[in-house]
Amino acid sequence: MNPNFIRISLLLLTTDLCFGNIIDVRVYGTHGKNTTFTTTIKPTSDPFFSVSWAVNGSFIITSTISNTIVEPKYADRTTLFRETGSLELRNLTNEDSGEYTVTIIPASGHLISGAAVLEVQSKIPTPTVTCPPSTEGMSEVTFLCDDGDTSNAKQWTRDDQPLLPSDRIAFLENNRILMLKGVNRTDTAEYRCNVSNLSDHEVGTCQLTVYYGPDTPTVQQHPNPAVEEERLTLSCASDSLPPAAFTWEFQRRPLVPGPQHVIAELDEDHLGNYTCTARNDLTGLVVSTVHTLNGSGVPASGPMSLIMVLTLVGLFQQ
Ligand SMILES: *[C@@H]1O[C@H](CO)[C@@H](O)[C@H](O)[C@H]1NC(C)=O
Ligand SMILES: *[C@@H]1O[C@H](CO)[C@@H](O)[C@H](O)[C@H]1NC(C)=O
Ligand SMILES: *[C@@H]1O[C@H](CO)[C@@H](O)[C@H](O)[C@H]1NC(C)=O
Ligand SMILES: *[C@@H]1O[C@H](CO)[C@@H](O)[C@H](O)[C@H]1NC(C)=O
Ligand SMILES: *[C@@H]1O[C@H](CO)[C@@H](O)[C@H](O)[C@H]1NC(C)=O
Ligand SMILES: *[C@@H]1O[C@H](CO)[C@@H](O)[C@H](O)[C@H]1NC(C)=O
Ligand SMILES: *[C@@H]1O[C@H](CO)[C@@H](O)[C@H](O)[C@H]1NC(C)=O
Ligand SMILES: *[C@@H]1O[C@H](CO)[C@@H](O)[C@H](O)[C@H]1NC(C)=O
């Protein structure tokens, strides 16, 4: 970093120091951006008689109570705040570097003036931020924030919340590297790196996706209890990213794959153990649940012996 970047020369040439008329002119400059020369003057009820700005001794703007005159090349990129004497300069170029002076004639009292040196710096390039896709349970994952300049300050946020060091979060190499330990699905978020120095700041973003699951599947039976001669659906669900693929088995024989197993018309041959298996090829995890289809139930229509059989099977199973 160039330590001479802003040589704020507070040559505060107040004509009457006894009255404490001090201007603090601060300077920030980035190519293509805006800057404001801010004074410490508090607005008063009496407007200033005049406010004038110059750079390297050349006229920029003069504003009196009755009119304002602007050097044409500054006309569309300056704003003068008459109440404080501050000046905004927009769309900076390297040629704007120089010594800026302000002269204020108050309605009554003593001339106030100040000066500051503006040095326009290059923009910080948009940082490249990388967060590699991760899987839950990984011991750690590292993020990189690169703007090509290791001396610029870097700050990380997750979903716009500042990230602070903790037992799970560490920062390395001057915050260029963010290390996350014990990765889990709740770490899925947008991560930002804000690179800044005295003249500029730029933000880069990456989206962390933590793959996980499948979690232990749950099976819903509809209707429950089962009704003979009716359609019956077994639905299997499992939280997983990416979504899990499902397969079914009945008494160890594979059925048509998919999250649902449908029995068009239930009879006693269908009773028994159904295994739903969820598989996530990205995490490599495979998890199963056994669902026992019991034969107790209410008749769909009329007294049927099969209902009793189903009920008995249900009883025998207990
Ligand atoms: C500079 O000021 C102009 C006018 O207020 C605004 O439209 C523009 O976004 C500003 N540029 C930056 C980089 O802040
Ligand atoms: C800023 O300045 C550059 C070069 O001086 C010019 O090409 C560009 O149009 C300006 N942008 C705005 C928003 O005035
Ligand atoms: C002011 O003077 C400096 C040094 O001579 C020069 O580099 C700069 O471009 C000048 N700035 C303006 C706006 O004339
Ligand atoms: C800020 O960073 C940019 C890009 O690295 C550099 O060109 C500029 O000089 C820096 N400004 C300061 C004040 O160091
Ligand atoms: C994931 O990490 C967060 C933050 O440390 C923790 O609160 C949460 O319990 C963890 N969840 C799991 C499933 O490990
Ligand atoms: C980035 O950092 C700068 C300097 O600390 C700050 O002014 C700015 O608001 C920050 N931007 C974001 C988006 O956090
Ligand atoms: C279903 O599984 C249970 C528990 O493993 C077992 O006790 C029962 O005999 C099985 N039923 C059939 C019909 O295989
Ligand atoms: C079937 O019966 C077994 C043994 O009583 C029980 O554990 C299971 O939850 C029953 N299944 C359903 C879908 O109610």
Side-chain angles (χ1 to χ4, degrees):
M1 193 198 297
N2 172 7
N4 294 326
F5 136 69
I6 295 172
R7 287 173 283 124
I8 305 174
S9 54
L10 296 175
L11 305 173
L12 301 175
L13 309 172
T14 53
T15 49
D16 193 340
L17 285 169
C18 311
F19 288 86
N21 293 329
I22 292 178
I23 304 172
D24 174 8
V25 186
R26 288 177 287 133
V27 189
Y28 302 91
T30 306
H31 192 99
K33 295 197 175 176
N34 306 337
T35 192
T36 302
F37 298 95
T38 308
T39 72
T40 55
I41 297 172
K42 303 217 165 45
T44 61
S45 53
D46 263 354
F48 296 134
F49 178 73
S50 80
V51 180
S52 306
W53 279 90
V55 56
N56 290 354
S58 302
F59 167 77
I60 299 176
I61 190 168
T62 291
S63 175
T64 65
I65 289 170
S66 50
N67 70 337
T68 297
I69 305 164
V70 193
E71 159 66 30
K73 66 178 179 186
Y74 289 102
D76 57 357
R77 60 187 198 98
T78 50
T79 301
L80 179 64
F81 301 94
R82 284 202 94 252
E83 307 74 37
T84 59
S86 298
L87 180 75
E88 183 188 47
L89 195 56
R90 293 184 290 274
N91 199 15
L92 296 173
T93 66
N94 293 338
E95 291 78 60
D96 287 322
S97 298
E99 190 186 19
Y100 287 75
T101 49
V102 58
T103 307
I104 297 171
I105 304 173
S108 61
H110 315 269
L111 190 78
I112 309 166
S113 65
V117 170
L118 170 67
E119 196 168 312
V120 178
Q121 301 279 317
S122 308
K123 250 174 77 48
I124 294 177
T126 302
T128 306
V129 183
T130 47
C131 40
S134 310
T135 49
E136 188 167 63
M138 280 169 67
S139 59
E140 64 182 44
V141 57
T142 53
F143 303 60
L144 280 182
C145 175
D146 196 7
D147 68 316
D149 187 343
T150 50
S151 64
N152 288 336
K154 297 174 177 69
Q155 279 188 313
W156 292 86
T157 54
R158 163 157 73 198
D159 287 341
D160 295 327
Q161 300 300 309
L163 281 176
L164 301 171
S166 71
D167 52 347
R168 294 187 65 228
I169 293 170
F171 299 100
L172 308 173
E173 293 185 18
N174 251 342
N175 287 9
R176 198 174 76 87
I177 295 175
L178 164 64
M179 187 187 282
L180 198 58
K181 294 169 198 160
V183 182
N184 79 32
R185 64 190 71 177
T186 64
D187 295 318
T188 293
E190 188 168 76
Y191 291 76
R192 288 175 197 270
C193 172
N194 183 3
V195 178
S196 59
N197 63 23
L198 287 170
S199 56
D200 196 15
H201 65 86
E202 285 294 330
V203 176
T205 300
C206 71
Q207 172 69 40
L208 177 70
T209 302
V210 179
Y211 298 111
Y212 64 90
D215 290 349
T216 304
T218 55
V219 175
Q220 299 275 319
Q221 174 187 320
H222 185 80
N224 192 4
V227 181
E228 57 88 21
E229 289 185 332
E230 292 263 294
R231 178 188 170 95
L232 183 132
T233 306
L234 298 177
S235 304
C236 190
S238 164
D239 199 4
S240 175
L241 188 73
F246 295 98
T247 53
W248 286 97
E249 277 176 54
F250 176 56
Q251 313 285 58
R252 299 218 176 82
R253 290 191 313 275
L255 301 170
V256 180
Q260 289 198 330
H261 176 63
V262 178
I263 298 164
E265 201 178 321
L266 181 72
D267 67 42
E268 63 194 280
D269 293 343
H270 294 122
L271 305 181
N273 289 335
Y274 289 80
T275 304
C276 170
T277 301
R279 167 194 300 276
N280 178 336
D281 284 333
L282 216 138
T283 61
L285 296 177
V286 179
V287 190
S288 296
T289 294
V290 176
H291 177 84
T292 305
L293 178 54
N294 300 317
S296 57
V298 190
S301 58
M304 297 293 292
S305 60
L306 186 58
I307 298 153
M308 289 165 66
V309 173
L310 292 173
T311 308
L312 283 172
V313 171
L315 288 174
F316 285 139
Q317 280 190 337
Q318 294 162 13

